[in-house]
Amino acid sequence: MDYFSEVTRMKISILEEGVKFNPLSLFSDIIKKINFKNKTIFKKPVSDGKVVYDYSLRNEIIPSEILLSDDKTKSIVKCRYNEKSSIELKLEENKLIIYKDNNKSKLKVDFIKEYEILKDTIEDELLVGDYVDVVGLDRISLLLFEGCYNWICGKQCKFCDLHPKKVSEKVCRPTLNNLYKYSSVDEWWNSQKELFFKNTNLALDKLLNNTELMHKHLFIMAGNLNDLQTVWKFLVEFIENLTKRFNLRDFDTIVNVCPHNSIESLKKLKELGIKQVQYNLEIANENLFTYSCPGKIEYKEFLKKLYEAVNIFGEGNVRSNFVLGLQDLNELINECEKFAEKGIVSDYSVFQPKRNTPYSHLKAPNMKDVINFTEKLVNIYIKYHQHPIFCSLSSRSSIVNEVYYDKVK
């Protein structure tokens, strides 16, 4: 444990405790003046059975992520606001300073600027950033549609706060908040897909031609609809459209989606140039999974789909993410090894209690547990010739990259 860098330790502490900003109003003002990546602190997602919006009346913002660095190490960490955290960010002599237990850290801290090209227009008032996003410094994210059907029908995962839009916010991608206006899901999709496809290609093209990304991570995400077949039908159409303009084999491609509806759909994704698929089981315990994720397919069926995916994409190219801290860690690491034996790569995000969710009262795991679990998971990676997802400049909620590359270098 002693070989962990100060950057890694601070990252874990932030994931465990969150951050307080002193004074909060100053940071909100700075972010508004300069185009830093940001998010609102207080979310209140509410579903009425048709739509899900954020009904919070508060608008304070904080950086959504910060870059920690020293002479040797750099890492991105996702921020969570916690006014009781022992970690405090201040502005002193126009420099960001981070404190732990009132002790000034020597680490350099930087906000992350949004790429200016994201504010560029595609046509009319539509922006590049309406269709494509960059997480961390180099993970390009494409979203198939806004929202999750499990939230609409009241079966959302108990740790998820969804990050829905406010009623007043503009949405350019297909959104499930207007699904109820159509007679069928197909009608909803078909009415907007051509414009969505065209603008996504234009936005991605502008981003790639106007930025210098260290890596070309391409992360394609899809939420849930009322059945797997519909999600995968739309997903295949979306990726087919991307291939009209881009060679997806040039990217580090991962599709994060609900488990496949058919082997044929899986084969099609691979043919189109997708390198990895990710089905997030979240919890490797059947009873706890069923209780925590009531909208997902049955546990045993989920496992079957993961194993089927390995048969198509190959060992090490099928991933599943887990929420670290929601189940016994020894149980989870044992399950991760079983998955690795079958060619499935386990990733994790450190659990963070989200306001206005059923699991908001639970605590994030402590630093010792995160470090111990990560060391064991990295040993599994090395044993089965697996590797972490993305890199330390785009993976914001775990320390797997930091530990893995320390061990293998």
Side-chain angles (χ1 to χ4, degrees):
M1 198 160 102
D2 290 339
Y3 70 84
F4 278 80
S5 72
E6 191 60 34
V7 168
T8 300
R9 290 177 177 278
M10 185 63 76
K11 181 173 182 176
I12 301 169
S13 295
I14 291 173
L15 292 173
E16 177 187 352
E17 295 188 43
V19 190
K20 61 182 174 183
F21 297 82
N22 187 10
L24 179 59
S25 58
L26 173 62
F27 284 92
S28 289
D29 289 342
I30 292 171
I31 293 169
K32 288 173 184 176
K33 289 176 184 176
I34 303 175
N35 191 32
F36 290 124
K37 291 187 179 185
N38 65 82
K39 63 182 180 183
T40 55
I41 298 172
F42 302 101
K43 292 281 186 182
K44 188 179 180 181
V46 178
S47 169
D48 66 0
K50 290 183 178 180
V51 299
V52 184
Y53 285 110
D54 172 21
Y55 289 100
S56 173
L57 299 177
R58 301 185 64 170
N59 295 302
E60 298 98 323
I61 58 176
I62 60 169
S64 54
E65 52 198 37
I66 55 177
L67 178 66
L68 302 172
S69 59
D70 57 20
D71 293 338
K72 297 180 180 179
T73 310
K74 289 184 178 181
S75 186
I76 291 279
V77 61
K78 187 176 183 179
C79 290
R80 170 173 63 93
Y81 178 70
N82 179 10
E83 64 275 7
K84 296 180 180 180
S85 175
S86 69
I87 303 162
E88 187 173 16
L89 201 60
K90 297 182 180 181
L91 188 67
E92 297 178 357
E93 299 178 353
N94 292 320
K95 287 186 178 181
L96 290 172
I97 307 294
I98 196 162
Y99 286 80
K100 177 82 167 78
D101 296 321
N102 295 317
N103 296 313
K104 183 187 290 189
S105 170
K106 295 180 180 179
L107 294 179
K108 185 180 179 185
V109 186
D110 293 291
F111 290 160
I112 311 298
K113 274 194 173 184
E114 289 280 17
Y115 286 106
E116 290 297 322
I117 191 62
L118 296 177
K119 295 188 293 182
D120 201 21
T121 55
I122 300 172
E123 57 182 35
D124 300 326
E125 296 182 358
L126 300 175
L127 306 179
V128 171
D130 292 329
Y131 295 92
V132 63
D133 192 17
V134 180
V135 178
L137 296 184
D138 58 5
R139 188 205 315 176
I140 304 168
S141 293
L142 301 179
L143 188 61
L144 189 62
F145 52 79
E146 294 274 355
C148 175
Y149 191 80
N150 291 347
W151 264 89
I152 291 177
C153 68
K155 293 183 177 181
Q156 68 270 25
C157 296
K158 289 180 167 56
F159 48 81
C160 174
D161 62 355
L162 187 65
H163 295 293
K165 305 287 187 184
K166 292 184 181 295
V167 176
S168 59
E169 286 184 87
K170 177 181 71 170
V171 178
C172 299
R173 300 183 185 97
T175 172
L176 296 189
N177 277 344
N178 61 20
L179 178 60
Y180 74 95
K181 298 177 182 178
Y182 295 84
S183 61
S184 69
V185 180
D186 281 333
E187 182 188 348
W188 166 79
W189 178 252
N190 291 332
S191 69
Q192 54 201 320
K193 70 179 183 183
E194 288 187 13
L195 180 62
F196 174 51
F197 289 174
K198 182 186 78 170
N199 287 341
T200 299
N201 278 2
L202 288 171
L204 182 55
D205 191 59
K206 280 203 168 190
L207 175 70
L208 293 172
N209 287 321
N210 291 275
T211 55
E212 294 184 6
L213 301 171
M214 183 177 298
H215 306 108
K216 289 172 72 176
H217 305 302
L218 182 60
F219 197 46
I220 301 171
M221 297 171 289
N224 293 285
L225 288 170
N226 57 346
D227 64 71
L228 306 180
Q229 182 174 346
T230 308
V231 176
W232 276 77
K233 175 185 173 184
F234 297 167
L235 176 67
V236 169
E237 289 181 358
F238 178 72
I239 294 174
E240 281 180 326
N241 181 72
L242 286 174
T243 62
K244 293 176 182 178
R245 194 162 190 146
F246 308 99
N247 184 352
L248 297 186
R249 290 176 176 82
D250 293 339
F251 296 84
D252 167 29
T253 48
I254 301 177
V255 171
N256 181 359
V257 64
C258 59
H260 57 275
N261 64 308
S262 70
I263 298 297
E264 288 69 30
S265 295
L266 266 180
K267 289 179 178 177
K268 184 64 177 177
L269 244 59
K270 189 174 182 181
E271 289 171 9
L272 291 170
I274 299 301
K275 295 186 175 76
Q276 298 183 69
V277 291
Q278 178 173 322
Y279 306 159
N280 291 338
L281 188 59
E282 315 289 9
I283 298 169
N285 173 296
E286 184 171 3
N287 291 334
L288 188 56
F289 167 87
T290 303
Y291 176 76
S292 301
C293 305
K296 296 199 178 205
I297 63 174
E298 291 184 2
Y299 188 82
K300 288 184 174 64
E301 181 68 11
F302 205 119
L303 296 185
K304 177 185 172 185
K305 299 284 188 179
L306 282 167
Y307 302 148
E308 286 178 350
V310 174
N311 291 333
I312 304 304
F313 276 83
E315 294 187 1
N317 295 319
V318 177
R319 316 188 76 94
S320 192
N321 196 71
F322 296 94
V323 185
L324 188 66
L326 290 186
Q327 71 182 102
D328 179 81
L329 298 186
N330 288 326
E331 176 188 50
L332 179 56
I333 200 66
N334 289 336
E335 293 301 309
C336 289
E337 176 132 25
K338 292 177 186 177
F339 288 134
E341 289 173 354
K342 296 181 180 294
I344 298 162
V345 187
S346 297
D347 299 300
Y348 74 80
S349 300
V350 174
F351 169 72
Q352 298 194 322
K354 308 288 180 62
R355 290 180 175 87
N356 298 307
T357 66
Y359 283 177
S360 62
H361 64 288
L362 300 180
K363 291 184 178 180
N366 62 43
M367 178 185 289
K368 181 180 178 182
D369 285 341
V370 173
I371 288 175
N372 289 340
F373 181 88
T374 305
E375 288 185 312
K376 291 176 182 178
L377 183 61
V378 165
N379 288 337
I380 290 173
Y381 280 13
I382 294 170
K383 179 178 178 180
Y384 293 95
H385 309 290
Q386 297 178 345
H387 60 84
I389 195 168
F390 307 126
C391 67
S392 63
L393 298 181
S394 64
S395 183
R396 308 177 300 170
S397 300
S398 86
I399 58 164
V400 175
N401 277 284
E402 289 83 350
V403 177
Y404 177 84
Y405 289 106
D406 269 347
K407 285 208 169 191
V408 300
K409 67 183 179 181

